[in-house]
Amino acid sequence: MTDTTSTLAQSVVPMAQDLFTAMVDGEPGLLLPMEALEEPITDPLYAWVDIVGPAVSRTLVVTARETADRLARSLLLKEDDEPVTLEDVQDALGEVANVVGGNLKAMMPEGSSLTLPVVEHAEPSASRPADHEQALLWWGGPILIQLWTSTNGEDL
Amino acid sequence: MRVLVADDSRVMRQIVLRTLRQAGFGDWDVVQAGDGAEALALTRAEKPDLVLSDWNMPEMNGIDFLRALRAGGSSVPFGFVTSEGSPQMRELAESEGALFLIAKPFDAGTFESALRPHFR
């Protein structure tokens, strides 16, 4: 793991917890780090942002549609049984990727740009496995954050 | 008092509105825009007393939105609400005429600290 990846990796959990505490849950302690996923995420949604320029990085957030639905309800202050549209769910999960990626960008060399978030049912293509991944648990639902970094111009 | 909130995320615009209420600014009228170009047109048409804008948006990003306002002679108070809060971006925002930059994640206290010195 490069120094850059290591620095970013160490920041992912506190950054994600700050995000959920301030804007999702309104209280700390509900987003918990896990050693690894206990089983593959079913019916996954993938949200990612890229950092492009002198520094290259991707932040990918993966979670089950069910957990993404709960996330959208929490962000929009909806009741547990209220329906949410796929558009709202994609918007909510994309914002999680955007905030995590944006905060990571602040730790990288100047001059790079953050792309708009992309949310899909299929994972983005990548030439190699992620440099770092962090499993998290929120209301019983797993959330996986994966990071790729490149400091020598190689493709992600 | 009228505020224009510009963000391409509808969810984030709702969070900004909620946070404004929680910070004690719930009586403000709100105009919403989904990208920088729409925000520029609405700011010129609606003449808000404050603009709160995301930085990274389609069509026109937040810093170009601010530059276009200033180039057109508008001195409307302008603050960024963005996921990127590096020192370089804060410097750029200030040099282009922004009052403040609120980095996500934020809470009501963050909004109150940023807004209260300028708006009672």
mmCIF file of all heavy atoms in Angstrom, chain A residues 62-111:
data_model
loop_
_atom_site.group_PDB
_atom_site.id
_atom_site.type_symbol
_atom_site.label_atom_id
_atom_site.label_comp_id
_atom_site.label_asym_id
_atom_site.label_seq_id
_atom_site.Cartn_x
_atom_site.Cartn_y
_atom_site.Cartn_z
ATOM 1 N N VAL A 62 -20.522 0.768 -1.819
ATOM 2 C CA VAL A 62 -21.410 -0.319 -2.240
ATOM 3 C C VAL A 62 -22.318 -0.693 -1.068
ATOM 4 O O VAL A 62 -21.827 -0.874 0.058
ATOM 5 C CB VAL A 62 -20.608 -1.577 -2.653
ATOM 6 C CG1 VAL A 62 -21.536 -2.590 -3.315
ATOM 7 C CG2 VAL A 62 -19.435 -1.228 -3.545
ATOM 8 N N THR A 63 -23.584 -0.800 -1.351
ATOM 9 C CA THR A 63 -24.483 -1.298 -0.317
ATOM 10 C C THR A 63 -25.703 -1.943 -0.972
ATOM 11 O O THR A 63 -25.936 -1.784 -2.168
ATOM 12 C CB THR A 63 -24.907 -0.177 0.660
ATOM 13 O OG1 THR A 63 -25.494 -0.780 1.830
ATOM 14 C CG2 THR A 63 -25.917 0.766 0.033
ATOM 15 N N ALA A 64 -26.453 -2.667 -0.193
ATOM 16 C CA ALA A 64 -27.665 -3.308 -0.714
ATOM 17 C C ALA A 64 -28.744 -2.263 -0.951
ATOM 18 O O ALA A 64 -28.800 -1.240 -0.262
ATOM 19 C CB ALA A 64 -28.158 -4.357 0.282
ATOM 20 N N ARG A 65 -29.611 -2.542 -1.909
ATOM 21 C CA ARG A 65 -30.703 -1.603 -2.194
ATOM 22 C C ARG A 65 -31.507 -1.322 -0.924
ATOM 23 O O ARG A 65 -31.909 -0.185 -0.670
ATOM 24 C CB ARG A 65 -31.596 -2.179 -3.300
ATOM 25 C CG ARG A 65 -32.868 -1.409 -3.553
ATOM 26 C CD ARG A 65 -32.597 -0.004 -4.108
ATOM 27 N NE ARG A 65 -33.776 0.847 -4.023
ATOM 28 C CZ ARG A 65 -34.652 1.016 -5.004
ATOM 29 N NH1 ARG A 65 -34.456 0.403 -6.160
ATOM 30 N NH2 ARG A 65 -35.707 1.797 -4.850
ATOM 31 N N GLU A 66 -31.706 -2.345 -0.119
ATOM 32 C CA GLU A 66 -32.488 -2.174 1.110
ATOM 33 C C GLU A 66 -31.823 -1.147 2.033
ATOM 34 O O GLU A 66 -32.497 -0.285 2.617
ATOM 35 C CB GLU A 66 -32.605 -3.532 1.816
ATOM 36 C CG GLU A 66 -33.420 -3.504 3.087
ATOM 37 C CD GLU A 66 -33.463 -4.881 3.762
ATOM 38 O OE1 GLU A 66 -32.751 -5.801 3.292
ATOM 39 O OE2 GLU A 66 -34.207 -5.020 4.739
ATOM 40 N N THR A 67 -30.511 -1.233 2.169
ATOM 41 C CA THR A 67 -29.794 -0.290 3.027
ATOM 42 C C THR A 67 -29.766 1.097 2.397
ATOM 43 O O THR A 67 -29.885 2.115 3.094
ATOM 44 C CB THR A 67 -28.356 -0.789 3.270
ATOM 45 O OG1 THR A 67 -28.410 -2.101 3.828
ATOM 46 C CG2 THR A 67 -27.599 0.126 4.218
ATOM 47 N N ALA A 68 -29.634 1.139 1.074
ATOM 48 C CA ALA A 68 -29.661 2.430 0.386
ATOM 49 C C ALA A 68 -31.031 3.098 0.547
ATOM 50 O O ALA A 68 -31.129 4.319 0.683
ATOM 51 C CB ALA A 68 -29.316 2.236 -1.084
ATOM 52 N N ASP A 69 -32.103 2.279 0.529
ATOM 53 C CA ASP A 69 -33.444 2.828 0.761
ATOM 54 C C ASP A 69 -33.523 3.463 2.153
ATOM 55 O O ASP A 69 -34.068 4.552 2.328
ATOM 56 C CB ASP A 69 -34.498 1.723 0.661
ATOM 57 C CG ASP A 69 -34.809 1.331 -0.779
ATOM 58 O OD1 ASP A 69 -34.174 1.895 -1.702
ATOM 59 O OD2 ASP A 69 -35.660 0.446 -0.976
ATOM 60 N N ARG A 70 -32.989 2.761 3.141
ATOM 61 C CA ARG A 70 -33.010 3.285 4.514
ATOM 62 C C ARG A 70 -32.206 4.574 4.606
ATOM 63 O O ARG A 70 -32.596 5.524 5.290
ATOM 64 C CB ARG A 70 -32.453 2.230 5.483
ATOM 65 C CG ARG A 70 -32.369 2.716 6.916
ATOM 66 C CD ARG A 70 -31.695 1.695 7.823
ATOM 67 N NE ARG A 70 -32.594 0.650 8.255
ATOM 68 C CZ ARG A 70 -33.339 0.705 9.369
ATOM 69 N NH1 ARG A 70 -33.265 1.776 10.145
ATOM 70 N NH2 ARG A 70 -34.116 -0.286 9.710
ATOM 71 N N LEU A 71 -31.083 4.597 3.903
ATOM 72 C CA LEU A 71 -30.241 5.792 3.880
ATOM 73 C C LEU A 71 -31.010 6.980 3.303
ATOM 74 O O LEU A 71 -30.989 8.094 3.862
ATOM 75 C CB LEU A 71 -28.986 5.506 3.054
ATOM 76 C CG LEU A 71 -28.001 6.653 2.858
ATOM 77 C CD1 LEU A 71 -27.338 7.027 4.174
ATOM 78 C CD2 LEU A 71 -26.939 6.265 1.834
ATOM 79 N N ALA A 72 -31.701 6.755 2.183
ATOM 80 C CA ALA A 72 -32.473 7.839 1.567
ATOM 81 C C ALA A 72 -33.578 8.317 2.515
ATOM 82 O O ALA A 72 -33.812 9.521 2.662
ATOM 83 C CB ALA A 72 -33.065 7.369 0.246
ATOM 84 N N ARG A 73 -34.256 7.359 3.176
ATOM 85 C CA ARG A 73 -35.308 7.752 4.128
ATOM 86 C C ARG A 73 -34.722 8.588 5.266
ATOM 87 O O ARG A 73 -35.321 9.578 5.691
ATOM 88 C CB ARG A 73 -35.986 6.510 4.716
ATOM 89 C CG ARG A 73 -36.925 5.811 3.772
ATOM 90 C CD ARG A 73 -37.797 4.798 4.514
ATOM 91 N NE ARG A 73 -38.429 3.900 3.570
ATOM 92 C CZ ARG A 73 -37.921 2.726 3.196
ATOM 93 N NH1 ARG A 73 -36.784 2.296 3.724
ATOM 94 N NH2 ARG A 73 -38.543 1.991 2.321
ATOM 95 N N SER A 74 -33.570 8.193 5.761
ATOM 96 C CA SER A 74 -32.954 8.932 6.864
ATOM 97 C C SER A 74 -32.575 10.339 6.432
ATOM 98 O O SER A 74 -32.823 11.317 7.151
ATOM 99 C CB SER A 74 -31.703 8.196 7.365
ATOM 100 O OG SER A 74 -32.049 6.975 7.957
ATOM 101 N N LEU A 75 -31.962 10.451 5.258
ATOM 102 C CA LEU A 75 -31.534 11.770 4.793
ATOM 103 C C LEU A 75 -32.725 12.670 4.510
ATOM 104 O O LEU A 75 -32.653 13.891 4.673
ATOM 105 C CB LEU A 75 -30.676 11.624 3.533
ATOM 106 C CG LEU A 75 -29.246 11.127 3.773
ATOM 107 C CD1 LEU A 75 -28.573 10.760 2.452
ATOM 108 C CD2 LEU A 75 -28.409 12.179 4.503
ATOM 109 N N LEU A 76 -33.840 12.082 4.076
ATOM 110 C CA LEU A 76 -35.020 12.869 3.728
ATOM 111 C C LEU A 76 -36.033 12.935 4.874
ATOM 112 O O LEU A 76 -37.132 13.458 4.698
ATOM 113 C CB LEU A 76 -35.694 12.278 2.486
ATOM 114 C CG LEU A 76 -34.891 12.454 1.189
ATOM 115 C CD1 LEU A 76 -35.463 11.595 0.066
ATOM 116 C CD2 LEU A 76 -34.861 13.927 0.762
ATOM 117 N N LEU A 77 -35.656 12.401 6.044
ATOM 118 C CA LEU A 77 -36.519 12.402 7.234
ATOM 119 C C LEU A 77 -37.868 11.741 6.955
ATOM 120 O O LEU A 77 -38.916 12.211 7.399
ATOM 121 C CB LEU A 77 -36.749 13.828 7.744
ATOM 122 C CG LEU A 77 -35.546 14.562 8.328
ATOM 123 C CD1 LEU A 77 -35.980 15.886 8.927
ATOM 124 C CD2 LEU A 77 -34.841 13.708 9.386
ATOM 125 N N LYS A 78 -37.858 10.636 6.222
ATOM 126 C CA LYS A 78 -39.081 9.889 5.955
ATOM 127 C C LYS A 78 -39.246 8.772 6.987
ATOM 128 O O LYS A 78 -38.271 8.303 7.569
ATOM 129 C CB LYS A 78 -39.034 9.283 4.544
ATOM 130 C CG LYS A 78 -39.193 10.299 3.416
ATOM 131 C CD LYS A 78 -39.053 9.617 2.070
ATOM 132 C CE LYS A 78 -39.310 10.579 0.930
ATOM 133 N NZ LYS A 78 -40.712 10.730 0.603
ATOM 134 N N GLU A 79 -40.492 8.361 7.170
ATOM 135 C CA GLU A 79 -40.779 7.257 8.092
ATOM 136 C C GLU A 79 -40.270 5.936 7.501
ATOM 137 O O GLU A 79 -40.074 5.819 6.292
ATOM 138 C CB GLU A 79 -42.289 7.151 8.333
ATOM 139 C CG GLU A 79 -42.904 8.383 8.974
ATOM 140 C CD GLU A 79 -42.385 8.629 10.378
ATOM 141 O OE1 GLU A 79 -42.061 7.648 11.076
ATOM 142 O OE2 GLU A 79 -42.310 9.799 10.782
ATOM 143 N N ASP A 80 -40.107 4.933 8.388
ATOM 144 C CA ASP A 80 -39.547 3.649 7.946
ATOM 145 C C ASP A 80 -40.376 2.981 6.852
ATOM 146 O O ASP A 80 -39.838 2.230 6.040
ATOM 147 C CB ASP A 80 -39.427 2.689 9.142
ATOM 148 C CG ASP A 80 -38.301 3.098 10.071
ATOM 149 O OD1 ASP A 80 -37.503 3.971 9.660
ATOM 150 O OD2 ASP A 80 -38.228 2.566 11.185
ATOM 151 N N ASP A 81 -41.686 3.213 6.852
ATOM 152 C CA ASP A 81 -42.531 2.524 5.874
ATOM 153 C C ASP A 81 -42.876 3.408 4.679
ATOM 154 O O ASP A 81 -43.658 3.012 3.814
ATOM 155 C CB ASP A 81 -43.814 2.025 6.546
ATOM 156 C CG ASP A 81 -44.580 3.150 7.230
ATOM 157 O OD1 ASP A 81 -44.042 4.272 7.314
ATOM 158 O OD2 ASP A 81 -45.715 2.901 7.679
ATOM 159 N N GLU A 82 -42.302 4.593 4.634
ATOM 160 C CA GLU A 82 -42.577 5.471 3.489
ATOM 161 C C GLU A 82 -41.769 5.031 2.275
ATOM 162 O O GLU A 82 -40.581 4.719 2.391
ATOM 163 C CB GLU A 82 -42.211 6.915 3.820
ATOM 164 C CG GLU A 82 -43.282 7.696 4.535
ATOM 165 C CD GLU A 82 -42.931 9.183 4.599
ATOM 166 O OE1 GLU A 82 -43.242 9.909 3.652
ATOM 167 O OE2 GLU A 82 -42.344 9.587 5.612
ATOM 168 N N PRO A 83 -42.387 5.030 1.100
ATOM 169 C CA PRO A 83 -41.630 4.653 -0.103
ATOM 170 C C PRO A 83 -40.647 5.748 -0.494
ATOM 171 O O PRO A 83 -40.853 6.924 -0.194
ATOM 172 C CB PRO A 83 -42.729 4.491 -1.154
ATOM 173 C CG PRO A 83 -43.843 5.361 -0.698
ATOM 174 C CD PRO A 83 -43.798 5.346 0.805
ATOM 175 N N VAL A 84 -39.565 5.327 -1.143
ATOM 176 C CA VAL A 84 -38.613 6.284 -1.711
ATOM 177 C C VAL A 84 -38.406 5.890 -3.175
ATOM 178 O O VAL A 84 -38.448 4.715 -3.528
ATOM 179 C CB VAL A 84 -37.252 6.291 -0.970
ATOM 180 C CG1 VAL A 84 -37.353 7.037 0.330
ATOM 181 C CG2 VAL A 84 -36.740 4.881 -0.749
ATOM 182 N N THR A 85 -38.185 6.879 -3.998
ATOM 183 C CA THR A 85 -37.980 6.602 -5.417
ATOM 184 C C THR A 85 -36.540 6.155 -5.647
ATOM 185 O O THR A 85 -35.638 6.461 -4.854
ATOM 186 C CB THR A 85 -38.244 7.856 -6.261
ATOM 187 O OG1 THR A 85 -37.251 8.844 -5.931
ATOM 188 C CG2 THR A 85 -39.640 8.417 -6.000
ATOM 189 N N LEU A 86 -36.340 5.440 -6.748
ATOM 190 C CA LEU A 86 -34.974 5.044 -7.099
ATOM 191 C C LEU A 86 -34.097 6.280 -7.290
ATOM 192 O O LEU A 86 -32.926 6.289 -6.913
ATOM 193 C CB LEU A 86 -34.981 4.188 -8.370
ATOM 194 C CG LEU A 86 -33.605 3.766 -8.900
ATOM 195 C CD1 LEU A 86 -32.843 2.945 -7.862
ATOM 196 C CD2 LEU A 86 -33.741 2.980 -10.204
ATOM 197 N N GLU A 87 -34.695 7.344 -7.820
ATOM 198 C CA GLU A 87 -33.946 8.584 -8.024
ATOM 199 C C GLU A 87 -33.421 9.135 -6.700
ATOM 200 O O GLU A 87 -32.268 9.552 -6.591
ATOM 201 C CB GLU A 87 -34.847 9.614 -8.713
ATOM 202 C CG GLU A 87 -34.122 10.885 -9.103
ATOM 203 C CD GLU A 87 -35.054 11.884 -9.795
ATOM 204 O OE1 GLU A 87 -36.265 11.610 -9.881
ATOM 205 O OE2 GLU A 87 -34.568 12.921 -10.225
ATOM 206 N N ASP A 88 -34.285 9.135 -5.682
ATOM 207 C CA ASP A 88 -33.848 9.614 -4.370
ATOM 208 C C ASP A 88 -32.777 8.698 -3.770
ATOM 209 O O ASP A 88 -31.831 9.160 -3.120
ATOM 210 C CB ASP A 88 -35.038 9.696 -3.406
ATOM 211 C CG ASP A 88 -35.894 10.929 -3.656
ATOM 212 O OD1 ASP A 88 -35.408 11.876 -4.309
ATOM 213 O OD2 ASP A 88 -37.058 10.938 -3.200
ATOM 214 N N VAL A 89 -32.942 7.388 -3.962
ATOM 215 C CA VAL A 89 -31.976 6.429 -3.424
ATOM 216 C C VAL A 89 -30.608 6.629 -4.091
ATOM 217 O O VAL A 89 -29.570 6.655 -3.430
ATOM 218 C CB VAL A 89 -32.483 4.989 -3.640
ATOM 219 C CG1 VAL A 89 -31.410 3.977 -3.250
ATOM 220 C CG2 VAL A 89 -33.746 4.753 -2.824
ATOM 221 N N GLN A 90 -30.617 6.796 -5.409
ATOM 222 C CA GLN A 90 -29.356 7.026 -6.123
ATOM 223 C C GLN A 90 -28.735 8.348 -5.704
ATOM 224 O O GLN A 90 -27.521 8.456 -5.524
ATOM 225 C CB GLN A 90 -29.614 7.007 -7.635
ATOM 226 C CG GLN A 90 -29.973 5.618 -8.150
ATOM 227 C CD GLN A 90 -30.363 5.634 -9.617
ATOM 228 O OE1 GLN A 90 -31.068 6.536 -10.075
ATOM 229 N NE2 GLN A 90 -29.935 4.629 -10.355
ATOM 230 N N ASP A 91 -29.578 9.346 -5.541
ATOM 231 C CA ASP A 91 -29.111 10.665 -5.116
ATOM 232 C C ASP A 91 -28.452 10.574 -3.736
ATOM 233 O O ASP A 91 -27.350 11.095 -3.507
ATOM 234 C CB ASP A 91 -30.329 11.599 -5.084
ATOM 235 C CG ASP A 91 -29.970 13.063 -4.915
ATOM 236 O OD1 ASP A 91 -28.810 13.368 -4.612
ATOM 237 O OD2 ASP A 91 -30.864 13.904 -5.070
ATOM 238 N N ALA A 92 -29.113 9.876 -2.809
ATOM 239 C CA ALA A 92 -28.602 9.766 -1.439
ATOM 240 C C ALA A 92 -27.276 9.010 -1.400
ATOM 241 O O ALA A 92 -26.305 9.458 -0.762
ATOM 242 C CB ALA A 92 -29.636 9.064 -0.557
ATOM 243 N N LEU A 93 -27.216 7.877 -2.075
ATOM 244 C CA LEU A 93 -25.976 7.092 -2.043
ATOM 245 C C LEU A 93 -24.854 7.840 -2.777
ATOM 246 O O LEU A 93 -23.694 7.810 -2.358
ATOM 247 C CB LEU A 93 -26.205 5.716 -2.672
ATOM 248 C CG LEU A 93 -25.100 4.687 -2.440
ATOM 249 C CD1 LEU A 93 -24.902 4.403 -0.956
ATOM 250 C CD2 LEU A 93 -25.396 3.381 -3.178
ATOM 251 N N GLY A 94 -25.215 8.533 -3.839
ATOM 252 C CA GLY A 94 -24.223 9.335 -4.542
ATOM 253 C C GLY A 94 -23.649 10.426 -3.668
ATOM 254 O O GLY A 94 -22.450 10.727 -3.735
ATOM 255 N N GLU A 95 -24.478 11.009 -2.806
ATOM 256 C CA GLU A 95 -23.968 12.050 -1.914
ATOM 257 C C GLU A 95 -22.992 11.479 -0.887
ATOM 258 O O GLU A 95 -22.038 12.137 -0.494
ATOM 259 C CB GLU A 95 -25.127 12.767 -1.211
ATOM 260 C CG GLU A 95 -25.639 13.958 -1.986
ATOM 261 C CD GLU A 95 -24.553 14.981 -2.323
ATOM 262 O OE1 GLU A 95 -23.829 15.423 -1.423
ATOM 263 O OE2 GLU A 95 -24.424 15.327 -3.512
ATOM 264 N N VAL A 96 -23.246 10.250 -0.441
ATOM 265 C CA VAL A 96 -22.298 9.626 0.490
ATOM 266 C C VAL A 96 -20.931 9.481 -0.194
ATOM 267 O O VAL A 96 -19.891 9.844 0.371
ATOM 268 C CB VAL A 96 -22.816 8.256 0.970
ATOM 269 C CG1 VAL A 96 -21.737 7.520 1.758
ATOM 270 C CG2 VAL A 96 -24.056 8.441 1.841
ATOM 271 N N ALA A 97 -20.938 8.974 -1.426
ATOM 272 C CA ALA A 97 -19.674 8.849 -2.159
ATOM 273 C C ALA A 97 -19.042 10.213 -2.391
ATOM 274 O O ALA A 97 -17.824 10.383 -2.272
ATOM 275 C CB ALA A 97 -19.922 8.141 -3.497
ATOM 276 N N ASN A 98 -19.877 11.197 -2.697
ATOM 277 C CA ASN A 98 -19.389 12.546 -2.976
ATOM 278 C C ASN A 98 -18.726 13.173 -1.748
ATOM 279 O O ASN A 98 -17.651 13.777 -1.848
ATOM 280 C CB ASN A 98 -20.578 13.409 -3.433
ATOM 281 C CG ASN A 98 -20.165 14.805 -3.836
ATOM 282 O OD1 ASN A 98 -19.165 14.992 -4.521
ATOM 283 N ND2 ASN A 98 -20.922 15.791 -3.412
ATOM 284 N N VAL A 99 -19.354 13.012 -0.595
ATOM 285 C CA VAL A 99 -18.791 13.628 0.619
ATOM 286 C C VAL A 99 -17.498 12.913 1.028
ATOM 287 O O VAL A 99 -16.501 13.559 1.363
ATOM 288 C CB VAL A 99 -19.824 13.617 1.767
ATOM 289 C CG1 VAL A 99 -19.176 14.097 3.060
ATOM 290 C CG2 VAL A 99 -21.013 14.498 1.409
ATOM 291 N N VAL A 100 -17.516 11.585 0.986
ATOM 292 C CA VAL A 100 -16.284 10.860 1.345
ATOM 293 C C VAL A 100 -15.169 11.196 0.346
ATOM 294 O O VAL A 100 -14.045 11.534 0.727
ATOM 295 C CB VAL A 100 -16.526 9.340 1.398
ATOM 296 C CG1 VAL A 100 -15.215 8.588 1.638
ATOM 297 C CG2 VAL A 100 -17.519 8.995 2.510
ATOM 298 N N GLY A 101 -15.494 11.132 -0.954
ATOM 299 C CA GLY A 101 -14.486 11.437 -1.966
ATOM 300 C C GLY A 101 -13.992 12.867 -1.887
ATOM 301 O O GLY A 101 -12.797 13.136 -2.051
ATOM 302 N N GLY A 102 -14.897 13.798 -1.625
ATOM 303 C CA GLY A 102 -14.506 15.201 -1.516
ATOM 304 C C GLY A 102 -13.582 15.447 -0.348
ATOM 305 O O GLY A 102 -12.620 16.222 -0.438
ATOM 306 N N ASN A 103 -13.864 14.792 0.760
ATOM 307 C CA ASN A 103 -12.984 14.940 1.924
ATOM 308 C C ASN A 103 -11.629 14.293 1.676
ATOM 309 O O ASN A 103 -10.599 14.804 2.119
ATOM 310 C CB ASN A 103 -13.650 14.347 3.163
ATOM 311 C CG ASN A 103 -14.631 15.304 3.818
ATOM 312 O OD1 ASN A 103 -14.300 16.025 4.737
ATOM 313 N ND2 ASN A 103 -15.860 15.336 3.313
ATOM 314 N N LEU A 104 -11.617 13.167 0.969
ATOM 315 C CA LEU A 104 -10.334 12.541 0.635
ATOM 316 C C LEU A 104 -9.523 13.441 -0.306
ATOM 317 O O LEU A 104 -8.304 13.555 -0.181
ATOM 318 C CB LEU A 104 -10.560 11.175 -0.010
ATOM 319 C CG LEU A 104 -11.139 10.097 0.890
ATOM 320 C CD1 LEU A 104 -11.379 8.818 0.094
ATOM 321 C CD2 LEU A 104 -10.211 9.799 2.070
ATOM 322 N N LYS A 105 -10.217 14.099 -1.223
ATOM 323 C CA LYS A 105 -9.521 14.979 -2.172
ATOM 324 C C LYS A 105 -8.772 16.088 -1.444
ATOM 325 O O LYS A 105 -7.684 16.498 -1.874
ATOM 326 C CB LYS A 105 -10.524 15.591 -3.149
ATOM 327 C CG LYS A 105 -9.905 16.575 -4.124
ATOM 328 C CD LYS A 105 -10.940 17.068 -5.128
ATOM 329 C CE LYS A 105 -10.375 18.199 -5.980
ATOM 330 N NZ LYS A 105 -10.299 19.473 -5.252
ATOM 331 N N ALA A 106 -9.355 16.566 -0.341
ATOM 332 C CA ALA A 106 -8.705 17.634 0.415
ATOM 333 C C ALA A 106 -7.365 17.184 0.983
ATOM 334 O O ALA A 106 -6.532 18.012 1.372
ATOM 335 C CB ALA A 106 -9.627 18.114 1.540
ATOM 336 N N MET A 107 -7.147 15.865 1.045
ATOM 337 C CA MET A 107 -5.898 15.340 1.598
ATOM 338 C C MET A 107 -4.874 15.037 0.510
ATOM 339 O O MET A 107 -3.774 14.588 0.809
ATOM 340 C CB MET A 107 -6.200 14.056 2.383
ATOM 341 C CG MET A 107 -7.213 14.259 3.493
ATOM 342 S SD MET A 107 -7.820 12.678 4.143
ATOM 343 C CE MET A 107 -6.286 12.016 4.762
ATOM 344 N N MET A 108 -5.250 15.270 -0.738
ATOM 345 C CA MET A 108 -4.370 14.905 -1.847
ATOM 346 C C MET A 108 -3.730 16.159 -2.449
ATOM 347 O O MET A 108 -4.127 17.278 -2.129
ATOM 348 C CB MET A 108 -5.174 14.124 -2.892
ATOM 349 C CG MET A 108 -5.757 12.836 -2.294
ATOM 350 S SD MET A 108 -6.719 11.880 -3.457
ATOM 351 C CE MET A 108 -5.423 11.190 -4.469
ATOM 352 N N PRO A 109 -2.721 15.977 -3.312
ATOM 353 C CA PRO A 109 -2.051 17.139 -3.898
ATOM 354 C C PRO A 109 -3.025 18.052 -4.628
ATOM 355 O O PRO A 109 -4.055 17.618 -5.144
ATOM 356 C CB PRO A 109 -1.052 16.501 -4.873
ATOM 357 C CG PRO A 109 -0.825 15.131 -4.364
ATOM 358 C CD PRO A 109 -2.109 14.709 -3.736
ATOM 359 N N GLU A 110 -2.678 19.336 -4.668
ATOM 360 C CA GLU A 110 -3.520 20.330 -5.326
ATOM 361 C C GLU A 110 -3.644 20.070 -6.824
ATOM 362 O O GLU A 110 -2.816 19.378 -7.407
ATOM 363 C CB GLU A 110 -2.900 21.719 -5.161
ATOM 364 C CG GLU A 110 -2.975 22.291 -3.785
ATOM 365 C CD GLU A 110 -2.366 23.680 -3.769
ATOM 366 O OE1 GLU A 110 -2.767 24.512 -4.598
ATOM 367 O OE2 GLU A 110 -1.485 23.919 -2.937
ATOM 368 N N GLY A 111 -4.663 20.653 -7.396
ATOM 369 C CA GLY A 111 -4.766 20.671 -8.849
ATOM 370 C C GLY A 111 -5.637 19.592 -9.444
ATOM 371 O O GLY A 111 -5.833 19.564 -10.652
#
